[in-house]
Amino acid sequence: DFIKAKLRFEVITTDDFLAIKETKERNKLAAMKLLILIAYYAYLSKQEYIPIVLTQMLQLTLQHGICNESCIALANSSYLLLQFKDVAGSKRLAELALLLLKKPQAKKYLPRVYAAVYTGVFCWYNHLKQSEKWLWQGYQEGLLIGDIEFAFVNATASLQNRFLYGAQLTLLEKDIELCRKRMIEYGQASQFAICSPLQHAVSKLVYFTRDPLSKTGNIIHEKEASELSLARNNFMLYASACIHFCIVEYIFGNYDSAADKTQERWIMEKECSRTSKYYGST
């Protein structure tokens, strides 16, 4: 059903899409808002239910008309399609989601849409650096409109992109520290935890560059290994930690360690309903 619903959006022309009526039915609008919440918490815990929830949102849009929440349904569906390696379909749904953001009342969902499409399909089509400014805009807009959680989802993704495309490490280290302080101020514990492996990876590379014989690198490595162990109960956190850990280990020539940790993650992924794809870093 999900594939059938997405196909209807994939083949629709832009003009026909924009011509879809807007729904005014209060019960349908309430249902879409509820489904947004369900989809988000399913993503965090029970990913196998995400296609079911998104199918309902897409079908409501097709049958009863567009609403502000339709942009999230399309953006999240775009992100999900990458798990099925349907990159073309993902790109089309992302484009439709961005079209809906041009509606004034849909602007409140900009941080959520940007988090899905600019950490998703547009990182497959474009250089990571091209997504950075949009993710940072998602962060700033989130703070302005009060969507604090997704503001920091965008911020974390922007910082991760900078690490992966090779931004200046000392500047990145300062920005990570500043962002983590703001996460504490706003009570964003989950994003603070996700940023920890990134901070360890950057700090380790910075200190090694300054002084290859420094003991600081060993201290960071020990703390990193400890947090990796603690993250095992959270698949998404553990997958992110493994990716950054493996990149640094590979840079230092510790190929066996990097391979072992990657193998651990693959085994863990088999027990989960979705893999953790990060721009091909699997």
Side-chain angles (χ1 to χ4, degrees), residues 110-267:
L110 183 147
R112 296 173 184 244
V113 171
Y114 276 19
V117 302
Y118 288 114
T119 66
V121 69
F122 291 127
C123 284
W124 290 54
Y125 269 92
N126 306 317
H127 192 282
L128 293 179
K129 195 170 186 178
Q130 294 184 34
S131 289
E132 182 189 333
K133 68 174 182 178
W134 302 112
L135 290 169
W136 202 250
Q137 183 184 344
Y139 164 66
Q140 293 173 323
E141 289 289 332
L143 293 182
L144 284 174
I145 65 178
D147 192 349
I148 304 302
E149 185 169 9
F150 275 87
F152 284 104
V153 169
N154 280 277
T156 299
S158 176
L159 295 170
Q160 289 174 329
N161 278 9
R162 288 171 61 187
F163 174 69
L164 289 175
Y165 74 67
Q168 216 281 333
L169 287 174
T170 53
L171 292 178
L172 179 56
E173 184 182 35
K174 291 178 182 178
D175 288 343
I176 291 171
E177 184 60 32
L178 176 61
C179 200
R180 278 163 57 87
K181 286 180 180 178
R182 289 178 178 171
M183 288 172 182
I184 293 174
E185 292 173 4
Y186 284 96
Q188 298 300 305
S190 61
Q191 292 304 311
F192 183 87
I194 290 172
C195 258
S196 290
L198 176 62
Q199 183 185 45
H200 295 328
V202 172
S203 296
K204 195 172 181 181
L205 292 172
V206 167
Y207 284 110
F208 182 82
T209 302
R210 291 174 180 166
D211 182 4
L213 301 179
S214 173
K215 293 182 179 180
T216 306
N218 291 330
I219 294 172
I220 295 172
H221 183 84
E222 291 172 4
K223 187 175 181 181
E224 186 179 31
S226 175
E227 292 195 0
L228 265 174
S229 178
L230 292 173
R232 285 179 180 274
N233 292 330
N234 184 318
F235 166 67
M236 293 176 62
L237 178 58
Y238 183 71
S240 176
C242 280
I243 289 170
H244 292 100
F245 179 87
C246 292
I247 289 172
V248 174
E249 288 294 276
Y250 192 85
I251 290 172
F252 287 145
N254 300 325
Y255 306 124
D256 290 341
S257 175
D260 289 345
K261 194 59 65 177
T262 300
Q263 186 65 31
E264 280 185 35
R265 184 165 62 86
W266 285 347
I267 292 172

Side-chain angles (χ1 to χ4, degrees), residues 3-185:
I3 299 301
K4 290 180 181 178
K6 78 92 183 177
L7 281 173
R8 292 185 64 183
F9 282 102
E10 190 175 354
V11 300
I12 196 172
T13 66
T14 299
D15 289 340
D16 287 343
F17 175 73
L18 293 176
I20 297 175
K21 66 176 183 179
E22 292 189 24
T23 183
K24 302 295 184 182
E25 300 177 59
R26 291 186 178 182
N27 60 332
K28 300 300 185 298
L29 295 172
M32 288 288 281
K33 290 178 180 179
L34 177 61
L35 288 168
I36 286 174
L37 290 174
I38 294 173
Y40 178 61
Y41 287 109
Y43 175 77
L44 296 177
S45 56
K46 297 288 186 180
Q47 293 92 357
E48 62 268 26
Y49 295 122
I50 293 177
I52 299 172
V53 179
L54 292 180
T55 299
Q56 292 296 314
M57 296 183 75
L58 294 178
Q59 289 178 341
L60 279 172
T61 298
L62 287 167
Q63 295 169 7
H64 300 280
I66 287 174
C67 62
N68 295 331
E69 290 72 21
S70 296
C71 63
I72 297 183
L74 291 163
N76 288 350
S77 296
S78 168
Y79 191 86
L80 177 64
L81 286 171
L82 294 177
Q83 305 302 317
F84 303 125
K85 298 182 173 60
D86 184 357
V87 182
S90 175
K91 184 173 183 287
R92 181 54 180 160
L93 266 62
E95 291 168 346
L96 295 178
L98 293 176
L99 276 176
L100 288 184
L101 277 185
K102 294 180 180 180
K103 295 179 179 291
Q105 296 302 317
K107 289 288 186 182
K108 62 183 177 182
Y109 292 126
L110 183 147
R112 296 173 184 244
V113 171
Y114 276 19
V117 302
Y118 288 114
T119 66
V121 69
F122 291 127
C123 284
W124 290 54
Y125 269 92
N126 306 317
H127 192 282
L128 293 179
K129 195 170 186 178
Q130 294 184 34
S131 289
E132 182 189 333
K133 68 174 182 178
W134 302 112
L135 290 169
W136 202 250
Q137 183 184 344
Y139 164 66
Q140 293 173 323
E141 289 289 332
L143 293 182
L144 284 174
I145 65 178
D147 192 349
I148 304 302
E149 185 169 9
F150 275 87
F152 284 104
V153 169
N154 280 277
T156 299
S158 176
L159 295 170
Q160 289 174 329
N161 278 9
R162 288 171 61 187
F163 174 69
L164 289 175
Y165 74 67
Q168 216 281 333
L169 287 174
T170 53
L171 292 178
L172 179 56
E173 184 182 35
K174 291 178 182 178
D175 288 343
I176 291 171
E177 184 60 32
L178 176 61
C179 200
R180 278 163 57 87
K181 286 180 180 178
R182 289 178 178 171
M183 288 172 182
I184 293 174
E185 292 173 4

